[in-house]
Structure formats: structure tokens, C-alpha cells
Amino acid sequence: MKIASIEVYGYELTYAHGEYVMSKGRAAQSQASTLVRILTDDGIEGWGESSTLGGTYLPAFAEGTREGIRVMAPSLIGLDPTNLTIVHEAMDAVLLGQNSSKSAIDIACWDILGKVANLPISRLIGGIAQASFPLYEAVPLASPEEMAEFVRVRGKAGINRFQVKVGNDPYEDAERTRSVVKACPADAVIVADSNGGWNLQAAIIAVRELAGLNIYVEQPCRDTMDCAIVQKMSSLPLVMDESVVNSAELYRAKYEAGAGSVNIKLARVGGITGAVRMRSQAQDLGMTMCIEDVWGGDVTTAAVSHVAASTRADALLHASFFNDWTKEHVAGYAPRSEQGRGKAPEAPGLGITIDHKALGRALFEVAR
């Protein structure tokens, strides 16, 4: 089997709850997402997706993701898409980093591999460790009253795990977090996520103000060592996210920053391949984790679901289904969550069917 052509599509994903707001003024009502369709000479196709959440969340942006795929695609034509090692070697030989671009290609190759093996991806990356798993939703940064109302509304849909967006003024952030805690049942899992928005001094103040709450704090500062300083002054469990981009940073997150949890995003680590590698390492280190991606729709959600389903229950803090967060659906709103829990599709590959005709014309195509 060989890759015969690679098609790239773009579409907008509208946030289902109005405006998605993070620290430092990062806000949007929609995000550009990139879909990759890989076609083989055997007639089997695979789909992948990557969305960057704007250009200020990570050092990646939608136009760059697409251009990275355009640059790498010619080197992939003629390769066996089921040989992921060779595919990644070919991509790495063309571009250093650029994991957002590589992630979409990687997911599409896993989709093909699953279809060839006639197995869902979850069966190929360790097996189904849990038939269903808990999901979380982010609470956009707003007033304390608005954030409390958000969790009350989403709680009625079965969501009991929330990532509270903070990272501005630490005193106001503490008030926001306390309002969410009061609006949630006692068994809710709540993470105060700065997205690296606090500077060192603000983060120190924030964890002091948040002390005593039954919450996690996520990525208080952008740099891992600053997070380590903050954690030494905090009694709250620490989750690391944006600065953990490889195995070395995962090790630093635990042994230097004192984090017990890590957020693993597929597009940040190069796709399913990188996520499974980091997932296994985190499990071996005795850490818990969130399995998700930067942003995305049905294709991203399916990819995340397979990694989450194959993660040990004791190690999975929760996952995200971004197709619950967004309005547009390219695969019929599949997979679907139910009362705050997700499942991985059982059909081969990603286990979903993409309506590519509804996407319109491809942005570009690379073929032999």
C-alpha cells in the first residue's frame, strides 16, 4: 500500500457557547481547523485534523499548519501509510518540529492502519482500558457570576469536571474560582487553568489566595521552572500543560516542578503516535493525565477518544470532546458524549464517516 495523494481542507469551528476567552485577552468565537485526507493506491482513505486555537496559544497557527503539510506532503507520496515510523522519519527529514502539521497526517495514517487491520485505533494502541471515560469542559474567563452560571448550565448536561480559565489579576481569579466551586457539587473536579498567563509574582499570589480549595492549578506560568517555584509555595496539586512538549519536559514536570498530572494534546506532540508515547511514560511515572487536543471537531474528537479509551482508568483524569464545544460537524456529530462521559467508536480506524463533499473544494492537493 502506498500514499497516492494528500488533500487538505479548511473550515471554521464556531464555539458553541458564544465566546471562548482565556487569559491575557485571548478570545475568539470561532477557530480555523485543518482536515487532511490521505488516499492510498488501494482505495483506502484516512482522515486527520489539527486546529491551533489561534496563533497565541502555542507557537503554531492555522496558515502555518497548512503550509507545513504542503511542504511535507511530496516526501510522503509513495510511502506506506501504515508504517508510522517511516512516515515520521520522512516528515522529520523535511521539517523540524511543526507538530501541528504532523499531527493531522499522523492521525490520518492511524485511520488507514485501523481500516487495514479492521480494528478501531484503540485496539492498536493498547486495547480498551475503559469502555467509557469522564469528560471535562472549559469555563471561559468572565465575571464570577457568569462563570458560576456556566457550570450550573453545563452541569445539567452531566458535566462534572471543569477547567476554570484564569490567569489575569490573581485576586479576581481567586474570586472567579471560588464562585465556580460554590456552584458545583462537592464531588466535582475543578482545575484553575492560567494557560501560563500569570507572571511569577501573580502566580504566587494566586496560589496563596486559592489555598484550601479542593482544586487543581494548571500551568500557572509559561516556563516550567517558574511553575516549579510556584509549586514550592503551594499546597494545591499541579497540572502541567503548554510547556510539556516532549519526554524530557515530562520528566521535568514531575521531578522539577512537582506536577502530579499532565495535559497531553495530540497536536502539541505530533498526533496519536506522540500522545501514546507520552501517555505510556506518564503512566510509568505514576502521573495522571488529561487526554485532548488543542481544538477541533469530529475528527479530533474521535482521535482523542481512542487514546483516552486505551488509557488506564487510574491514570486518566479526564478527556475532552471538542465536538461538544463546537457547532460544525463533518462526521454527523460522532462520536457523541453522554451525560459527561465519552466512548471510542468501535468501527475500524477512527470509526467515523466524514462527509468530505460537504467541505467543498480542497485548499490544495499533492499527488504523484
Side-chain angles (χ1 to χ4, degrees):
M1 175 181 289
K2 296 180 180 179
I3 296 175
S5 65
I6 299 175
E7 300 172 354
V8 173
Y9 298 83
Y11 74 118
E12 285 290 314
L13 281 168
T14 307
Y15 182 51
H17 306 299
E19 187 173 38
Y20 189 77
V21 183
M22 299 189 296
S23 58
K24 305 308 178 188
R26 293 173 287 182
Q29 295 179 343
S30 67
Q31 301 289 344
S33 191
T34 301
L35 290 167
V36 169
R37 183 191 187 199
I38 295 180
L39 295 99
T40 70
D41 57 358
D42 285 359
I44 298 177
E45 68 177 31
W47 287 87
E49 182 175 17
S50 186
S51 183
T52 61
L53 194 55
T56 57
Y57 174 66
L58 292 173
F61 58 104
E63 295 84 356
T65 295
R66 295 165 186 175
E67 191 61 25
I69 296 168
R70 187 197 300 271
V71 171
M72 292 185 292
S75 68
L76 303 177
I77 302 299
L79 296 184
D80 180 354
T82 67
N83 191 335
L84 272 296
T85 296
I86 297 302
V87 169
H88 275 274
E89 285 181 354
M91 291 193 291
D92 291 343
V94 176
L95 290 177
L96 178 65
Q98 307 305 319
N99 281 339
S100 178
S101 301
K102 292 173 181 176
S103 180
I105 294 170
D106 176 89
I107 293 168
C109 288
W110 275 103
D111 190 24
I112 292 171
L113 177 58
K115 291 172 180 175
V116 171
N118 198 32
L119 290 170
I121 293 171
S122 54
R123 297 282 185 182
L124 301 174
I125 56 176
I128 299 175
Q130 42 188 331
S132 72
F133 44 85
L135 302 175
Y136 88 90
E137 283 197 17
V139 184
L141 196 152
S143 70
E145 295 76 18
E146 290 171 312
M147 295 175 80
E149 180 60 18
F150 183 96
V151 300
R152 281 192 286 265
V153 171
R154 297 307 297 149
K156 294 176 183 178
I159 303 296
N160 196 34
R161 294 163 185 253
F162 295 99
Q163 185 189 75
V164 183
K165 293 303 181 182
V166 292
N168 284 355
D169 178 271
Y171 297 100
E172 294 176 358
D173 286 334
E175 185 179 354
R176 292 183 176 99
T177 306
R178 285 192 290 267
S179 73
V180 169
V181 171
K182 290 178 182 178
C184 287
D187 62 347
V189 175
I190 299 172
V191 181
D193 181 16
S194 167
N195 292 114
W198 289 317
N199 61 29
L200 180 58
Q201 193 77 307
I204 292 171
I205 294 170
V207 295
R208 182 193 65 195
E209 294 298 306
L210 294 169
L213 295 178
N214 184 24
I215 64 168
Y216 296 78
V217 170
E218 182 172 329
Q219 197 75 35
C221 303
R222 187 168 293 275
D223 182 73
T224 296
M225 290 312 297
D226 283 347
C227 292
I229 294 171
V230 174
Q231 183 61 8
K232 290 178 181 177
M233 303 182 183
S234 173
S235 60
L236 301 171
L238 175 66
V239 181
M240 291 295 291
D241 185 2
E242 287 88 346
S243 65
V244 182
V245 296
N246 53 40
S247 300
E249 290 298 332
L250 178 64
Y251 185 92
R252 293 182 65 205
K254 177 179 178 178
Y255 291 107
E256 295 181 21
S261 299
V262 62
N263 197 334
I264 299 175
K265 290 181 167 70
L266 273 62
R268 198 180 66 222
V269 297
I272 291 173
T273 299
V276 170
R277 179 171 58 247
M278 189 168 286
R279 180 272 307 276
S280 297
Q281 292 167 342
Q283 286 183 158
D284 286 347
L285 288 170
M287 301 175 75
T288 61
M289 68 206 78
C290 169
I291 302 295
E292 61 168 350
D293 211 331
V294 180
W295 200 257
D298 290 344
V299 177
T300 289
T301 300
V304 165
S305 74
H306 288 288
V307 181
S310 59
T311 301
R312 293 200 322 255
D314 67 301
L316 185 69
L317 187 61
H318 41 231
S320 64
F321 267 23
F322 277 118
N323 62 358
D324 281 344
W325 303 20
T326 52
K327 294 181 179 180
E328 292 74 20
H329 302 290
V330 300
Y333 200 166
R336 294 292 292 270
S337 66
E338 184 175 351
Q339 286 297 301
R341 299 189 69 84
K343 294 181 179 180
E346 297 179 359
L350 287 171
I352 57 176
T353 301
I354 289 80
D355 182 9
H356 75 274
K357 293 182 180 179
L359 294 171
R361 296 182 61 182
L363 297 176
F364 62 87
E365 177 184 0
V366 177
R368 60 183 176 184

